[in-house]
C-alpha cells in the first residue's frame, strides 16, 4: 500500500473509532440518566395529617397517588429519582426532604432569604426557584441550584428579587444512604447580582456529561451561564441578547428536549426564543414575540409558563385562559401562532385556570391550575400541529389541592454525535468549518499562536470566546466589526490539548477548534 494511502486509511479508521466510542458514550449517558423525573411530589395542604398527592410514571403511564408527608408545595418544586426511577429527595425551596419524607440531613435552612422566610409554612412562591442535577461523573452526588429573594427599593418600586444564585451539594452516602448536605457545601453563592425571580433551568453540554445552567439578570437582557463539570462550576460568563424583564412576577424558562432551543416567557407578555450552542453555551438567532393580550392587566391573558414538545418543534405558551402553540422550526415563528385551547370555565372548586407546565416522561405536557385545584390539565399529543395536539382539560385528578409542578431539565439528553467540536476522543484535527459561514483557524506550533479568520460576517458587533474541551472559558473579547472580515492572532500560553473557538455576532454563530501539541 502506498505511504499516503496508508496514512489516509489510519486517519479514516481513527475517525470511525472515535465516532463509535462517542456513540457508546452517548448511549451510556442516556441509559444512566433515564427515569430521573419519574416521580412527582405535589400537594398544597400545610397540615401534616392531610393527604398529599403526586404522580408516578414508572409504569410508563401517569398514575396519581396519595400519601401522608409533612412537605407542602406552593410554587417552587424540584425533585430527583435514581436511574431506576426511585425517589431520592425533593424540595419546596424551604427545606429538603429525603425519600422517607423526613428532613434531609442538614437540609433545613439551605436557601435563606426574605422570600423564604415569608413563605416558610407553605413553600417558596417562585416558579423554577430550584433545580436538581446529577453531579457529573459521580454516582452519589447531586447539586441543588437555588435562589430566594430580598426586599429593596429600585426603579421607584419595592422589589422582591434574588440577589444571588446559590448551590448546595447532596451526598447520598450520608445518613446511612438517605443523603445529606455537607455543611461546607451548603448555600454557596455562584454569583452575587440582582436576578429575575426563578426561571432556573439547565441543559446538557454537547459532551453529554456536563451541565449548562442559565439565569437572567433583572431589568436587563444579560444572561449568566455556568458550566458544571466533574471539577466543579466554571466562573460565570454573560451574554447580552433578546429583551429585558422589567416587570417580574411569574414566568418560566425552558430548553427544548434536543437542547438546541431556549425559550423564556414573562408575566409582562414577552416571549424570547434563542437557538443554543450546547458546546459553547452561546445563544444566537434571537426571536422576540409580544404575546397578544387584548385586556392587559386582567387575569385572563398574561402568560405563566412555556414548554416544548418532545420533538422540539412546537413551543407552548400557557396563559390564564389560553394555550398558544408556536412552530420554532420556521424563520417567522410569530406567524405560526395558533390558539389550541381556551379555558372551559370549569371549577373544582376554584377556577381551573391554566398555570405551570412541564413535559413529562410519558410524552405529554402537564399543566397545573392557578387556583390550586385537585386536578391537572394535559396536552395529549404535543408533537402534533394545531388543535390536533388535543388539550385535555380537567381530566387528571388528585386527592389533594395542587398548584405547583416540578422543574426538570432533560436528564436523558446525551452527547451531540453530529458535532466533533466537543468530542474529546477526536485527535489530529487542526481546523473545522461549521455553522453559517466559514471560520478558518491555523495553529503555528513554533510561535504557539492561533490565527483566526472569518469573512462575510453578518452583524455590527462580535464576541470571541475560547474554551478548553471541558467547556472552561479561557478567553473572551467583544468589539465592533469594521468590515465583514475578522482576523485575530492569539498567543496560546496554555497546556497542550483541544481548544474550541466561538465567534458570534447578533446574527450568526461560527465555531471551530484547533489542537495545541
Amino acid at each position: 500500500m502506498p505511504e499516503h494511502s496508508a496514512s489516509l486509511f489510519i486517519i479514516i479508521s481513527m475517525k470511525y473509532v472515535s465516532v463509535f466510542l462517542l456513540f457508546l458514550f452517548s448511549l451510556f449517558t442516556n441509559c444512566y440518566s433515564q427515569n430521573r423525573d419519574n416521580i412527582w411530589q405535589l400537594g398544597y395542604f400545610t397540615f401534616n395529617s392531610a393527604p398529599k398527592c403526586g404522580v408516578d410514571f414508572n409504569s410508563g403511564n401517569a398514575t396519581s397517588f396519595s400519601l401522608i408527608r409533612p412537605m407542602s408545595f406552593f410554587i417552587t418544586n424540584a425533585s430527583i429519582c435514581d436511574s431506576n426511577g426511585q425517589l431520592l429527595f425533593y424540595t419546596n425551596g424551604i427545606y429538603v426532604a429525603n425519600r422517607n419524607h423526613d428532613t434531609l440531613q442538614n437540609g433545613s435552612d439551605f436557601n435563606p432569604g426574605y422570600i423564604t422566610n415569608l413563605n416558610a409554612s407553605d413553600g417558596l412562591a417562585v416558579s423554577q426557584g430550584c433545580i436538581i442535577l446529577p453531579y457529573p461523573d459521580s454516582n452519589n452526588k447531586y447539586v441543588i441550584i437555588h435562589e430566594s429573594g430580598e426586599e429593596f427599593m429600585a426603579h421607584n418600586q419595592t422589589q422582591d428579587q434574588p440577589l444571588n444564585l446559590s448551590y448546595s451539594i447532596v451526598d447520598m452516602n450520608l445518613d446511612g444512604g438517605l443523603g445529606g448536605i455537607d455543611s461546607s457545601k451548603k448555600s454557596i453563592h455562584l454569583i452575587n447580582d440582582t436576578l429575575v425571580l426563578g426561571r432556573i433551568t439547565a441543559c446538557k453540554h454537547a459532551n453529554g456529561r456536563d451541565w449548562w445552567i442559565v439565569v437572567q439578570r433583572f431589568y436587563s437582557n444579560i444572561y449568566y451561564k455556568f458550566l458544571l463539570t466533574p471539577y466543579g462550576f466554571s466562573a460565570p460568563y454573560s451574554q447580552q441578547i433578546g429583551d429585558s424583564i422589567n416587570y417580574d412576577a411569574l414566568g418560566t424558562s425552558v430548553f427544548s428536549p434536543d437542547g438546541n432551543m431556549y425559550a423564556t416567557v414573562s408575566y409582562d407578555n414577552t416571549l424570547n426564543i434563542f437557538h443554543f450552542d450546547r458546546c459553547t453555551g452561546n445563544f444566537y438567532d434571537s426571536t422576540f414575540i409580544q404575546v397578544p393580550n387584548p385586556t392587559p392587566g386582567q387575569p385572563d391573558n398574561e402568560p405563566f409558563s412555556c414548554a416544548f414538545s418532545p420533538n422540539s418543534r412546537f413551543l407552548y405558551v400557557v396563559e390564564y385562559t389560553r394555550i398558544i402553540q408556536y412552530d420554532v422550526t420556521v424563520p417567522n415563528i410569530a406567524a405560526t401562532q395558533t390558539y389550541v385551547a381556551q379555558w372551559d370555565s370549569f371549577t373544582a372548586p376554584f377556577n381551573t385556570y391554566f398555570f405551570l407546565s412541564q413535559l413529562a416522561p410519558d410524552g405529554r405536557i402537564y399543566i397545573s391550575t392557578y387556583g390550586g385545584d385537585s386536578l391537572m390539565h394535559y396536552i395529549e399529543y404535543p408533537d402534533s400541529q394545531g388543535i390536533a395536539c388535543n388539550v385535555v382539560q380537567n381530566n387528571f385528578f388528585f386527592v389533594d389541592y395542587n398548584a405547583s409542578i416540578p422543574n426538570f431539565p432533560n436528564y436523558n439528553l446525551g452527547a451531540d454525535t453530529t458535532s466533533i467540536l466537543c468530542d474529546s476522543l477526536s485527535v489530529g484535527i487542526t481546523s473545522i468549518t461549521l455553522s453559517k459561514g466559514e471560520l478558518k483557524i491555523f495553529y503555528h506550533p513554533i510561535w504557539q499562536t492561533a490565527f483566526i479568520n472569518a469573512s462575510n460576517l453578518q452583524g455590527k458587533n462580535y464576541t470571541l470566546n475560547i474554551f478548553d474541551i471541558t467547556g472552561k472559558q479561557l478567553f473572551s473579547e467583544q468589539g465592533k466589526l469594521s468590515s465583514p472580515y475578522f482576523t485575530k492572532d492569539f498567543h496560546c500560553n496554555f497546556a497542550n490539548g483541544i481548544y474550541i473557538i466561538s465567534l458570534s455576532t447578533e446574527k450568526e454563530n461560527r465555531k471551530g477548534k484547533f489542537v495545541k501539541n
Side-chain angles (χ1 to χ4, degrees):
M1 182 183 292
E3 182 177 348
H4 69 276
S5 299
S7 300
L8 181 60
F9 174 77
I10 292 171
I11 291 172
I12 293 174
S13 299
M14 290 177 64
K15 176 182 177 182
Y16 279 105
V17 169
S18 174
V19 171
F20 177 69
L21 289 174
L22 183 60
F23 168 76
L24 289 180
F25 174 73
S26 173
L27 184 64
F28 169 80
T29 302
N30 278 322
C31 291
Y32 178 80
S33 300
Q34 289 174 351
N35 306 315
R36 296 290 191 180
D37 55 352
N38 272 15
I39 296 180
W40 296 12
Q41 296 291 328
L42 305 169
Y44 187 67
F45 268 137
T46 59
F47 305 109
N48 290 351
S49 59
K52 307 299 193 302
C53 59
V55 188
D56 190 329
F57 292 94
N58 277 301
S59 68
N61 298 312
T63 303
S64 64
F65 63 83
S66 64
L67 75 165
I68 302 296
R69 56 166 164 75
M71 184 180 291
S72 61
F73 296 92
F74 190 0
I75 297 177
T76 297
N77 187 328
S79 62
I80 195 164
C81 296
D82 63 20
S83 57
N84 295 316
Q86 301 305 305
L87 181 67
L88 291 175
F89 60 92
Y90 56 99
T91 181
N92 59 1
I94 306 299
Y95 73 99
V96 186
N98 61 29
R99 63 175 178 265
N100 290 339
H101 310 293
D102 295 326
T103 300
L104 188 83
Q105 186 180 86
N106 204 22
S108 60
D109 302 323
F110 82 104
N111 192 28
Y114 168 79
I115 297 180
T116 300
N117 295 333
L118 196 65
N119 304 138
S121 61
D122 297 319
L124 196 64
V126 177
S127 54
Q128 296 181 307
C130 295
I131 198 168
I132 301 172
L133 306 175
Y135 203 96
D137 278 357
S138 174
N139 294 325
N140 298 300
K141 291 185 179 180
Y142 298 84
V143 178
I144 308 174
I145 301 165
H146 49 92
E147 64 180 20
S148 180
E150 304 298 335
E151 188 175 58
F152 57 92
M153 288 294 299
H155 309 291
N156 298 317
Q157 293 181 353
T158 300
Q159 309 284 354
D160 294 324
Q161 301 294 143
L163 299 183
N164 59 73
L165 182 71
S166 303
Y167 73 91
S168 301
I169 297 180
V170 175
D171 187 343
M172 295 306 299
N173 290 319
L174 298 176
D175 196 19
L178 290 174
I181 299 176
D182 188 320
S183 58
S184 66
K185 300 174 182 177
K186 182 177 181 179
S187 194
I188 300 173
H189 290 189
L190 279 169
I191 190 171
N192 293 303
D193 200 352
T194 307
L195 307 174
V196 299
L197 285 165
R199 298 178 181 85
I200 303 172
T201 191
C203 180
K204 279 279 187 73
H205 187 280
N207 62 22
R209 178 196 66 185
D210 304 332
W211 288 96
W212 291 108
I213 299 98
V214 178
V215 293
Q216 186 177 355
R217 192 178 191 274
F218 180 53
Y219 233 86
S220 169
N221 64 345
I222 292 176
Y223 290 82
Y224 290 113
K225 289 88 169 283
F226 307 83
L227 184 66
L228 175 62
T229 75
Y231 310 102
F233 286 92
S234 68
Y237 74 97
S238 62
Q239 181 181 1
Q240 192 168 1
I241 188 172
D243 188 64
S244 63
I245 294 179
N246 299 333
Y247 174 65
D248 193 16
L250 291 165
T252 63
S253 300
V254 65
F255 283 97
S256 59
D258 63 10
N260 294 327
M261 302 287 287
Y262 172 94
T264 183
V265 68
S266 179
Y267 194 70
D268 60 0
N269 295 96
T270 59
L271 171 64
N272 284 274
I273 305 170
F274 313 132
H275 284 80
F276 183 64
D277 186 330
R278 291 174 58 201
C279 186
T280 65
N282 280 340
F283 292 133
Y284 61 101
D285 286 346
S286 171
T287 297
F288 172 77
I289 297 174
Q290 189 74 41
V291 180
N293 184 358
T295 53
Q298 297 300 313
D300 58 358
N301 290 301
E302 280 83 356
F304 278 138
S305 64
C306 56
F308 278 98
S309 60
N311 65 2
S312 299
R313 177 182 175 182
F314 297 113
L315 175 68
Y316 293 88
V317 173
V318 177
E319 301 179 314
Y320 272 104
T321 61
R322 301 183 300 181
I323 299 176
I324 304 172
Q325 183 194 75
Y326 294 95
D327 187 343
V328 299
T329 64
V330 302
N332 189 352
I333 298 174
T336 68
Q337 176 181 289
T338 304
Y339 294 97
V340 294
Q342 180 78 32
W343 178 57
D344 61 7
S345 303
F346 192 76
T347 59
F350 312 108
N351 291 337
T352 59
Y353 292 131
F354 305 128
F355 192 32
L356 302 177
S357 54
Q358 174 66 48
L359 178 62
D362 64 357
R364 294 172 171 175
I365 294 174
Y366 287 83
I367 302 166
S368 66
T369 65
Y370 182 78
D373 301 271
S374 56
L375 57 81
M376 283 199 297
H377 317 285
Y378 59 87
I379 304 175
E380 189 170 16
Y381 308 115
D383 283 342
S384 297
Q385 190 168 18
I387 61 172
C389 70
N390 192 27
V391 177
V392 180
Q393 300 187 43
N394 314 300
N395 200 37
F396 193 86
F397 294 93
F398 302 115
V399 299
D400 183 27
Y401 299 115
N402 175 70
S404 71
I405 211 160
N407 180 25
F408 293 121
N410 183 7
Y411 294 112
N412 299 332
L413 184 59
D416 182 0
T417 57
T418 66
S419 171
I420 61 175
L421 286 181
C422 297
D423 176 11
S424 59
L425 302 175
S426 297
V427 294
I429 301 172
T430 56
S431 95
I432 187 165
T433 300
L434 286 181
S435 196
K436 291 189 173 180
E438 190 175 25
L439 178 65
K440 292 183 176 179
I441 305 166
F442 173 74
Y443 175 70
H444 197 294
I446 297 177
W447 295 345
Q448 296 191 51
T449 299
F451 297 89
I452 305 166
N453 292 280
S455 59
N456 299 318
L457 284 168
Q458 302 179 43
K460 298 180 180 179
N461 303 287
Y462 75 89
T463 299
L464 176 68
N465 289 311
I466 300 179
F467 305 87
D468 66 17
I469 197 63
T470 70
K472 180 180 179 181
Q473 187 177 33
L474 304 174
F475 175 81
S476 182
E477 179 182 90
Q478 296 180 338
K480 292 188 177 295
L481 289 170
S482 56
S483 73
Y485 300 93
F486 178 89
T487 181
K488 174 79 176 180
D489 55 281
F490 180 82
H491 182 66
C492 306
N493 57 347
F494 33 72
N496 291 343
I498 301 173
Y499 295 92
I500 300 161
I501 305 291
S502 170
L503 180 62
S504 303
T505 71
E506 311 94 288
K507 297 185 177 181
E508 62 179 308
N509 177 259
R510 302 185 185 185
K511 300 169 289 186
K513 76 174 182 179
F514 67 94
V515 178
K516 179 183 179 184
N517 53 29

